[in-house]
Amino acid sequence: MVSEEHLYAIALRECSLIGDINFHKLVRTFGSAEEAWKTAKKEYNKADGIGRKTVADIGNEDYLKFAEKEIQFCEKNNIKIMLRHLNELPYLLSECDDAPAVLYQKGKFDDSLQKISIVGTRNMTLYGKQFIGEFFEATKASKYISVSGLALGIDKEVHEQSIQCKIPTAAVLAHGFHMLYPSKNKKLSEKILEEGGALLTEFNSSRKPDRENFIQRNRIIAGLSPSTIVVETGFGGGSVSTAAFANDYNREVFALPGKITDPYSQGCNQLIFQNKASAISSIKDLMDSLGFNHSKEKVADLFSFNEISIQLTENQETVYECIKANPQVSLDDLAQMISMPSYKILPVILELELLGKVKSYSGRQFTVI
């Protein structure tokens, strides 16, 4: 139900220097968005880090009129308005320091279900498409919500495979609900809602899909889920920012490794090499890491290690055997044990991860698979 607090929250968030963090400071200080709207301009010094310039726009009647129109728009289009400070946001997202003050939702989002965020490049290859298809086929008996960004490529494939496997899916938009970008995915967005999924955005109906909105949107994709999977991305791709947000929120990140010559595997390989993501070696291992109770039927490995005899190089064999003898050994200890500098060990470990022989943990610790 929309209340007066929702009206004042939308108006307050619309003020030019009131971002999500300043919004939360004001609400914590004054107790509500309505009270902040009415008193913060005179008593701004009560809030830490808030100056006169920050509150200059507060109280502007134009923002209240905008908020009234926004609420009317939402009521007309069956859009739910959720406020973080009223504990209306999805639980995991609300835990993030920079969570949106206001979140708009169309459709259904069952917050009691596990969430898995899956992102990647708009230039999806057959390799990425195959992985997504196999992942959803293997997990279709599990109860969870897939989360992605409704972009072309990987995002589109994630939403479509979710629908095909009867798994609810949530798309996070980089604009308001007055439009749908990209327009090619309009029918897909309608299908998401028809099949019990949701469209989410922090942007009101005046906001267009400006370039900076997409990075901002990515933090919500990361914040909604305990785990983010990066399927394919190039160096500096938008999905790398989603992984960075997930790392900042202390969430799990998994990346699909690929050939170093494949441009849309290079971002994933870099995340793995920098210990910002765990390498995906097989669908089965990924399901185990995600906590899915997969069926007793054998889940096919993404890479058929057992069918191929892998001949390790001398350095690979030395590092592998040492990790095998010392589970969860640290990089520093490993360097000392085998008398090899850490900068030479890291590339070898990445090679072993790509071969599915070794797994990395936070804190630069390693174990064999």
Side-chain angles (χ1 to χ4, degrees), residues 35-81:
E35 199 59 32
W37 179 264
K38 292 176 178 177
T39 63
K41 197 165 185 176
K42 292 180 181 178
E43 302 178 19
Y44 64 87
N45 55 350
K46 289 184 177 180
D48 290 339
I50 300 290
R52 185 188 299 274
K53 187 177 179 181
T54 305
V55 299
D57 271 354
I58 295 179
N60 187 327
E61 287 294 318
D62 288 342
Y63 295 137
L64 273 181
K65 290 175 183 175
F66 171 84
E68 288 173 357
K69 289 181 180 178
E70 190 67 16
I71 289 172
Q72 290 170 5
F73 173 83
C74 290
E75 289 175 340
K76 181 180 178 181
N77 292 281
N78 297 314
I79 297 166
K80 184 179 179 182
I81 306 170

Side-chain angles (χ1 to χ4, degrees), residues 204-239:
N204 60 50
S205 62
S206 71
R207 298 293 295 275
K208 298 176 182 178
D210 296 324
R211 187 171 183 177
E212 63 270 16
N213 292 0
F214 289 88
I215 298 295
Q216 193 171 325
R217 177 273 309 270
N218 289 349
R219 85 188 195 290
I220 296 181
I221 295 176
L224 284 167
S225 304
S227 304
T228 292
I229 299 171
V230 184
V231 179
E232 289 183 300
T233 188
F235 286 127
S239 300

Side-chain angles (χ1 to χ4, degrees), residues 84 89-99 223 225 249 251:
R84 182 191 180 190
L89 265 60
Y91 174 70
L92 281 176
L93 180 61
S94 68
E95 287 188 330
C96 304
D97 290 339
D98 57 354
S225 304
Y249 300 148
R251 310 288 169 79

Side-chain angles (χ1 to χ4, degrees), residues 52-265:
R52 185 188 299 274
K53 187 177 179 181
T54 305
V55 299
D57 271 354
I58 295 179
N60 187 327
E61 287 294 318
D62 288 342
Y63 295 137
L64 273 181
K65 290 175 183 175
F66 171 84
E68 288 173 357
K69 289 181 180 178
E70 190 67 16
I71 289 172
Q72 290 170 5
F73 173 83
C74 290
E75 289 175 340
K76 181 180 178 181
N77 292 281
N78 297 314
I79 297 166
K80 184 179 179 182
I81 306 170
M82 298 177 289
L83 305 183
R84 182 191 180 190
H85 68 282
L86 295 186
N87 299 316
E88 295 173 339
L89 265 60
Y91 174 70
L92 281 176
L93 180 61
S94 68
E95 287 188 330
C96 304
D97 290 339
D98 57 354
V102 184
L103 188 68
Y104 301 91
Q105 174 184 317
K106 285 189 84 167
K108 300 174 184 176
F109 188 86
D110 185 349
D111 200 31
S112 67
L113 293 178
Q114 182 176 348
K115 272 74 67 178
I116 307 293
S117 294
I118 309 174
V119 295
T121 178
R122 288 169 172 77
N123 301 293
M124 177 180 64
T125 70
L126 184 61
Y127 176 57
K129 183 181 176 72
Q130 179 189 353
F131 167 78
I132 294 169
E134 291 182 5
F135 175 79
F136 279 103
E137 181 62 30
T139 60
K140 64 184 180 182
S142 303
K143 291 182 183 269
Y144 70 99
I145 299 172
S146 70
V147 179
S148 200
L150 201 66
L152 300 175
I154 296 294
D155 292 13
K156 182 174 184 282
E157 189 70 17
V158 167
H159 296 306
E160 288 180 339
Q161 288 290 339
S162 292
I163 291 168
Q164 188 173 322
C165 293
K166 306 296 182 186
I167 293 166
T169 187
V172 185
L173 310 180
H175 54 78
F177 277 124
H178 61 301
M179 65 174 299
L180 196 287
Y181 178 87
S183 57
K184 289 180 181 179
N185 282 346
K186 191 172 191 313
K187 286 187 178 178
L188 175 57
S189 71
E190 293 167 355
K191 190 70 173 173
I192 288 171
L193 297 177
E194 287 171 12
E195 297 297 323
L199 305 178
L200 300 165
T201 184
E202 66 181 306
F203 300 106
N204 60 50
S205 62
S206 71
R207 298 293 295 275
K208 298 176 182 178
D210 296 324
R211 187 171 183 177
E212 63 270 16
N213 292 0
F214 289 88
I215 298 295
Q216 193 171 325
R217 177 273 309 270
N218 289 349
R219 85 188 195 290
I220 296 181
I221 295 176
L224 284 167
S225 304
S227 304
T228 292
I229 299 171
V230 184
V231 179
E232 289 183 300
T233 188
F235 286 127
S239 300
V240 174
S241 73
T242 309
F245 285 123
N247 277 303
D248 288 343
Y249 300 148
N250 291 317
R251 310 288 169 79
E252 288 184 307
V253 180
F254 301 91
L256 181 66
K259 295 178 182 177
I260 61 173
T261 53
D262 290 348
Y264 296 108
S265 287

Side-chain angles (χ1 to χ4, degrees), residues 264-331:
Y264 296 108
S265 287
Q266 288 171 353
C268 289
N269 291 344
Q270 184 183 43
L271 287 170
I272 295 165
F273 178 73
Q274 294 176 341
N275 288 309
K276 293 178 179 177
S278 297
I280 298 170
S281 60
S282 71
I283 299 289
K284 179 182 178 298
D285 286 344
L286 177 59
M287 290 172 68
D288 288 340
S289 297
L290 295 172
F292 286 152
N293 295 317
H294 49 80
S295 66
K296 293 179 181 177
E297 296 178 15
K298 186 181 185 298
V299 177
D301 281 349
L302 182 61
F303 306 108
S304 303
F305 299 120
N306 295 333
E307 298 174 11
I308 302 172
S309 177
I310 299 172
Q311 185 67 43
L312 299 181
T313 66
E314 184 178 342
N315 280 347
Q316 288 173 345
E317 187 70 36
T318 299
V319 172
Y320 177 78
E321 289 299 331
C322 189
I323 294 174
K324 185 177 180 181
N326 302 276
Q328 292 201 306
V329 64
S330 70
L331 180 61

